[in-house]
Amino acid sequence: MNTRLTRTLASVTYALAVLCGLAFLGTGATHMLDDGAVCVRTDFWRNATVADDLPISEGVNVSSSAASLCQESPSVGQRAADLGHELPWLLFGSLALLLFSRLLKTVLSQGPFTDAVAQRLTVLGWFVAVGTPLTGLVVGWSQSWLVGSMAPIVGSGPTVTGPMVLVLAGLTAVVMGKIMGEGVRMREDLEGTI
């Protein structure tokens, strides 16, 4: 096992986790303090021609060519919902990188084939497998709510967005963690009989 490479990778993933966490906090704070317009893209307008009698809220500008709605003076709720396309993924990425960094530190301190490593791998796998669709649902819900707040009749139900292939990666890590855990127990049983 190349400990220098593993140590470097653990440090880099921890630094990336901290950077994602700081980006999460900084983006949230600066966006909530911003007084500019809030815009959201929607597929509803893509094939429609904009007319004066469309059901949009007051202060909303519609662009059918850009398929977007923009609220000039958004409410706090609209500004918070606008964060829903960025912040959930930054938080998810930060926590996933932190769990991966902890896994690598456990590999360094206890070795790769230990029960602690198997448990950390399983926890990381469940986090990715369950966290990916939940994060995608939060993103989809916030964008749907934002569209509904600007054009009440147009708002659609929430959708799940994001890289759903990560669910398979997470489930693979869960299975590998379980296999490693069984291997560790079998090795301990074998050492106990010798």
Side-chain angles (χ1 to χ4, degrees), residues 54-62 69-71 78 146-153:
L54 288 175
I56 58 173
S57 299
E58 188 176 325
V60 175
N61 296 325
V62 180
L69 300 165
C70 290
Q71 177 77 47
Q78 288 173 321
L146 189 57
V147 169
S149 72
M150 292 183 196
I153 296 175

Side-chain angles (χ1 to χ4, degrees), residues 159-183:
T159 58
V160 178
T161 62
M164 290 301 129
V165 72
L166 289 178
V167 173
L168 294 176
L171 291 175
T172 302
V174 169
V175 170
M176 290 305 298
K178 295 295 183 184
I179 291 171
M180 283 180 64
E182 285 300 314

Side-chain angles (χ1 to χ4, degrees), residues 27 30 41 46 62 64 76 100 131 143 153 176:
T27 301
T30 57
R41 294 183 57 82
R46 191 173 308 273
V62 180
S64 61
V76 173
F100 186 62
Q143 295 302 290
I153 296 175
M176 290 305 298

Side-chain angles (χ1 to χ4, degrees), residues 10-100:
S11 298
V12 168
T13 55
Y14 182 76
L16 287 173
V18 170
L19 284 175
C20 281
L22 291 173
F24 172 81
L25 294 173
T27 301
T30 57
H31 192 72
M32 289 305 286
L33 297 174
D34 185 15
D35 61 353
V38 168
C39 295
V40 63
R41 294 183 57 82
T42 177
D43 290 334
F44 178 80
W45 303 114
R46 191 173 308 273
N47 295 322
T49 55
V50 179
D52 293 334
D53 58 348
L54 288 175
I56 58 173
S57 299
E58 188 176 325
V60 175
N61 296 325
V62 180
S63 169
S64 61
S65 61
S68 66
L69 300 165
C70 290
Q71 177 77 47
E72 290 304 321
S73 55
S75 67
V76 173
Q78 288 173 321
R79 193 163 294 286
D82 187 42
L83 286 170
H85 74 280
E86 263 183 275
L87 288 189
W89 289 114
L90 283 173
L91 182 62
F92 173 79
S94 178
L95 294 175
L97 286 168
L98 187 62
L99 288 172
F100 186 62

Side-chain angles (χ1 to χ4, degrees), residues 91-116:
L91 182 62
F92 173 79
S94 178
L95 294 175
L97 286 168
L98 187 62
L99 288 172
F100 186 62
S101 175
R102 289 185 59 201
L103 170 69
L104 292 175
K105 287 180 182 178
T106 304
V107 167
L108 284 170
S109 66
Q110 297 181 15
F113 301 107
T114 62
D115 195 41

